[in-house]
Amino acid sequence: MTITQPDLSVFETLESEVRSYCRGWPTVFDHARGSRLYDEDGHEYLDFFAGAGSLNYGHNNPVLKRALLDYLERDGITHGLDMSTVAKRTFLQTFQDLVLRPRDLPYKVMFPGPTGTNAVETALKLARKVKGRESIVSFTNAFHGMSLGSLAVTGNAFKRAGAGIPLVHGTPMPFDHYLDGKVPDFLWFERLLQDQGSGLNKPAAVIVETVQGEGGINVARPEWLRALQQLCERQDMLLIVDDIQMGCGRTGAFFSFEEAGIVPDIVTVSKSISGYGLPMSLCLFKPELDVWEPGEHNGTFRGNNPAFVTATAALEAYWTDGAAMEKQTRTRGEQVEQWLISITEENLADVKEYRGRGLVWGLEFHDTSRAGRIARRAFDLGLLVETSGPQSEVVKLLPALTTTPEELDEGMRVLARAVRETA
């Protein structure tokens, strides 16, 4: 692919140095459709990033776009705070009928703000309010957002350092596999809880990702998650599952915790809940936890009605028959896994491990700088992939759930080539 030098001057002179994704993908994107983006010079890129998981149904999905355009053309409410609107009512009813009831989930729905970290902050605040305690337990290599409360339960040292103040009231515990199976699950955690001399304040809640996306695609076993829920029940702690990146079908089922057969007390959802990349998040919790006073937690942009419209359209298009969607995601995930097996066998001395579930996968190398080189070479070859892990040592694959089998093969061929050419 021949790439002319794009005009990046305004970004480099006016936009903050904090920008990051654009540094790995130094072009100016213009339009997108499905699993493909196009820059202003017409170069095509296959997208295995999907807006960090906010575009599970692809770019400009035609079904969702039609619903959005129809709504805007009739002057539907755009900004609604927490007012009752037709769009919100339709979404809530559809979410109840297609997601909550079929799974026998009793949750109340709260709209905490537009982003994932809004949902996490809400979950932490609610847990503390319900239990009357401040401490929250999180896990090694967790990522829960960039605002202060979310950073306090995030593991990444680089991101935590950006807070500028002490991040308190959070205690990390080992995630599944962190101690390589040498210590029984939760032995250390439960010992601290039982020992009056441990120095651990009684936690209000435990927050966990079933698959740590930013942490390196670390996959928790179903039995580990079940044991965690049982521990929370024994010790009078709430269980919060952060399903912001792994929910909305990313791992197969609509919620990533379904496979484990658990029912968390609180669930955070964002990214692909709107279906179209529009800002929207949910905090779901059991009815007995709904102890909020009116207005006790609010925000100007909770009522993004266009997002309610596209979210409803996504649920109706893809989750009316959730079993079919789940089967498709698992099948396409198996296709990706076969490619990763092949890449591992071809580069046996270099690949440390591949891991994942559904359509989220990671490829880790012994050389921690290798993943970054592979991502850069993949971009040159027309494939967008990112890295994750505490040292950006894992190539992260996050294609849209609507990516076709042919597109998956195409992208994996490019990835295999990028791996070979960065050896």
Side-chain angles (χ1 to χ4, degrees):
M1 178 184 294
T2 302
I3 300 178
T4 58
Q5 187 65 33
D7 181 8
L8 302 174
S9 57
V10 69
F11 307 109
E12 293 170 348
T13 59
L14 189 59
E15 192 179 359
S16 167
E17 292 299 317
V18 78
R19 64 194 189 280
S20 60
Y21 294 118
C22 58
R23 298 179 189 273
W25 301 329
T27 192
V28 181
F29 294 105
D30 179 63
H31 62 283
R33 186 179 304 109
S35 291
R36 299 183 188 273
L37 286 88
Y38 302 84
D39 68 17
E40 60 183 349
D41 294 320
H43 298 117
E44 179 182 294
Y45 300 85
L46 186 57
D47 184 7
F48 274 24
F49 180 62
S54 62
L55 294 165
N56 280 3
Y57 313 109
H59 295 268
N60 287 301
N61 183 292
V63 175
L64 312 190
K65 180 166 66 174
R66 185 71 265 160
L68 178 60
L69 290 174
D70 289 346
Y71 184 76
L72 295 176
E73 285 172 354
R74 73 169 185 82
D75 291 334
I77 298 294
T78 297
H79 181 271
L81 294 165
D82 69 356
M83 294 184 294
S84 300
T85 66
V86 170
K88 183 198 282 190
R89 181 175 61 196
T90 304
F91 167 73
L92 284 169
Q93 192 64 60
T94 304
F95 189 70
Q96 183 178 53
D97 292 344
L98 298 184
V99 176
L100 297 181
R101 278 182 180 154
R103 293 162 180 79
D104 197 25
L105 294 173
Y107 297 132
K108 298 288 289 289
V109 179
M110 180 174 172
F111 300 100
T115 72
T117 199
N118 291 122
V120 170
E121 295 282 0
T122 302
L124 301 180
K125 183 190 287 190
L126 180 60
R128 288 168 170 143
K129 180 177 174 64
V130 169
K131 291 299 182 183
R133 309 178 206 132
E134 296 176 352
S135 178
I136 304 289
V137 165
S138 57
F139 291 96
T140 49
N141 290 310
F143 178 79
H144 295 290
M146 298 298 286
S147 52
L148 292 179
S150 300
L151 273 180
V153 291
T154 287
N156 187 285
F158 173 73
K159 292 181 173 63
R160 288 175 62 89
I165 62 171
L167 297 171
V168 297
H169 309 305
T171 303
M173 291 291 166
F175 190 71
D176 196 12
H177 305 297
Y178 188 76
L179 299 173
D180 299 322
K182 297 176 182 177
V183 177
D185 295 338
F186 307 114
L187 175 66
W188 172 243
F189 188 3
E190 193 148 30
R191 184 71 58 84
L192 291 179
L193 290 169
Q194 294 170 343
D195 185 357
Q196 295 299 307
S198 70
L200 176 66
N201 294 331
K202 180 82 171 183
V206 176
I207 185 168
V208 67
E209 303 154 275
T210 66
V211 181
Q212 294 182 325
E214 297 304 308
I217 319 300
N218 305 312
V219 182
R221 294 166 296 145
E223 55 267 32
W224 187 86
L225 292 168
R226 288 192 290 269
L228 176 59
Q229 182 175 55
Q230 292 162 6
L231 174 60
C232 288
E233 290 172 349
R234 287 197 304 273
Q235 296 291 340
D236 187 34
M237 303 178 296
L238 297 178
L239 176 61
I240 305 168
V241 168
D242 181 340
D243 230 9
I244 288 166
Q245 189 168 79
M246 297 304 154
C248 302
R250 174 56 56 181
T251 65
F254 187 88
F255 294 111
S256 69
F257 56 79
E258 292 181 49
E259 180 185 354
I262 63 174
V263 179
D265 298 293
I266 304 175
V267 181
T268 60
V269 182
S270 187
K271 291 197 182 284
S272 274
I273 187 60
S274 81
Y276 204 73
L278 299 177
M280 178 178 173
S281 71
L282 308 176
C283 187
L284 312 176
F285 39 81
K286 293 179 178 178
E288 61 269 26
L289 305 181
D290 194 8
V291 296
W292 297 111
E293 296 291 334
E296 189 175 8
H297 186 93
N298 57 24
T300 304
F301 293 103
R302 289 168 292 156
N304 186 356
N305 280 253
F308 297 156
V309 171
T310 54
T312 300
L315 293 176
E316 291 175 343
Y318 295 101
W319 296 99
T320 299
D321 184 356
M325 188 65 186
E326 181 174 349
K327 181 180 179 181
Q328 175 180 293
T329 298
R330 294 188 187 281
T331 298
R332 293 181 186 179
E334 290 167 1
Q335 180 182 346
V336 172
E337 184 177 16
Q338 289 305 309
W339 272 101
L340 292 175
I341 291 171
S342 175
I343 292 171
T344 299
E345 290 174 347
E346 183 181 340
N347 303 271
L348 202 56
D350 302 323
V351 175
K352 182 176 180 180
E353 187 182 20
Y354 69 86
R355 51 189 180 262
R357 279 178 60 195
L359 275 173
V360 52
W361 290 89
L363 186 62
E364 183 177 1
F365 295 84
H366 293 289
D367 177 357
T368 56
S369 68
R370 183 82 177 276
R373 299 199 303 273
I374 290 169
R376 288 190 291 274
R377 182 57 183 150
F379 170 78
D380 292 339
L381 297 171
L383 176 69
L384 302 183
V385 294
E386 252 297 332
T387 61
S388 70
Q391 298 177 279
S392 298
E393 73 276 20
V394 177
V395 176
K396 181 180 181 181
L397 306 178
L398 211 66
L401 308 186
T402 52
T403 305
T404 66
E406 294 76 20
E407 288 171 331
L408 288 175
D409 282 340
E410 176 187 345
M412 296 306 294
R413 279 194 296 270
V414 173
L415 179 65
R417 178 180 170 186
V419 171
R420 285 194 296 271
E421 294 182 359
T422 56

